[in-house]
Amino acid sequence: MRLVLLGAPGSGKGTQAERLKQQLAIPHISTGDLLRAAVRAGTPLGLKAKAVMDAGQLVSDDIVLGMLEERLRQPDAASGFILDGYPRNLAQCAALQALLERLGQPLDVAIKLDVPSELIVERIAGRAAKEGRKDDTPETVRERLRVYAEQTEPVASYFERIGKLRCVDGVGELEDISRRVLAALPQTLTA
Ligand code: AMP
């Protein structure tokens, strides 16, 4: 199963991706995690990305695509993957399609978690208190939500146009949301 999880920052993508990873036994590939690892490791690329991430803006398409390709070429991704945080704009949609074609691994489905914006702000505040992420400060969160509305929302329409989008209600108990996500997957691939 090759799937993309879509949703605003704080919509629960990361949490649902971790659950799906267990259920489907395929890796969870988060471009945010890959970037944070590069920042922690202090690689030249990480140093470049850090300021952009701290400001809540998007790291350059080239950098993220390079990291993603390297990750997707690792053997564990050959059996499928859950992509979280990518694509984030329309240029990345085209880049992803070309990359997956090159790898001979076309996408099966894009699942969008729908969560109203009042709840998003509440959830991110909760996460900030728990995880202390540097880009969860109120100012950065505002910028990330602005960038999401401007650049990432059109990504859902792109997947809708190519007939791969499924929307899931992302409000409620974790277990219930998980069940809805599983039910939205192409059943022939989960059997
Ligand atoms: P996330 O953990 O997905 O919320 O990502 C954290 C931050 O990493 C984002 O606010 C961006 O600065 C950066 N980032 C993650 N994924 C991407 C991407 N696909 N394109 C550009 N920047 C990204």
Side-chain angles (χ1 to χ4, degrees):
M1 171 82 69
R2 293 178 289 268
L3 72 106
V4 164
L5 269 182
L6 300 174
S11 61
K13 286 191 307 290
T15 308
Q16 290 302 326
E18 278 300 304
R19 297 174 77 98
L20 277 175
K21 169 186 163 176
Q22 307 296 337
Q23 288 155 335
L24 304 176
I26 50 177
H28 164 203
I29 300 179
S30 148
T31 47
D33 285 350
L34 292 175
L35 285 163
R36 280 185 287 277
V39 170
R40 271 198 307 278
T43 64
L45 190 151
L47 293 177
K48 227 166 148 180
K50 184 177 183 322
V52 181
M53 292 170 75
D54 286 349
Q57 283 157 9
L58 293 186
V59 175
S60 86
D61 289 346
D62 288 356
I63 290 185
V64 185
L65 181 65
M67 291 181 82
L68 179 65
E69 172 154 10
E70 199 182 311
R71 181 64 188 88
L72 285 176
R73 284 188 182 278
Q74 287 172 25
D76 64 337
S79 51
F81 51 79
I82 303 146
L83 206 50
D84 158 16
Y86 195 98
R88 266 225 185 24
N89 59 30
L90 288 175
Q92 293 185 5
C93 292
L96 179 66
Q97 186 168 353
L99 171 60
L100 294 182
E101 263 168 32
R102 269 202 313 282
L103 297 174
Q105 296 192 323
L107 195 75
D108 296 306
V109 67
I111 304 275
K112 178 164 182 275
L113 290 176
D114 285 325
V115 178
S117 48
E118 317 82 76
L119 218 94
I120 290 283
V121 173
E122 220 174 89
R123 282 192 189 174
I124 297 185
R127 184 171 76 184
K130 219 168 84 190
E131 295 176 18
R133 255 176 65 165
K134 260 198 108 172
D135 59 353
D136 275 346
T137 61
E139 242 165 73
T140 314
V141 167
R142 257 197 305 281
E143 178 62 7
R144 284 163 61 211
L145 291 174
R146 190 193 66 74
V147 169
Y148 178 80
E150 185 186 286
Q151 303 200 41
T152 312
E153 259 169 14
V155 167
S157 315
Y158 162 84
F159 285 114
E160 187 169 27
R161 267 199 311 280
I162 63 169
K164 304 234 157 157
L165 183 72
R166 309 265 188 287
C167 293
V168 167
D169 179 3
V171 181
E173 296 296 324
L174 260 181
E175 297 287 340
D176 295 334
I177 303 168
S178 256
R179 257 193 297 278
R180 280 177 227 141
V181 169
L182 273 178
L185 298 176
Q187 298 304 309
T188 46
L189 295 170
T190 52

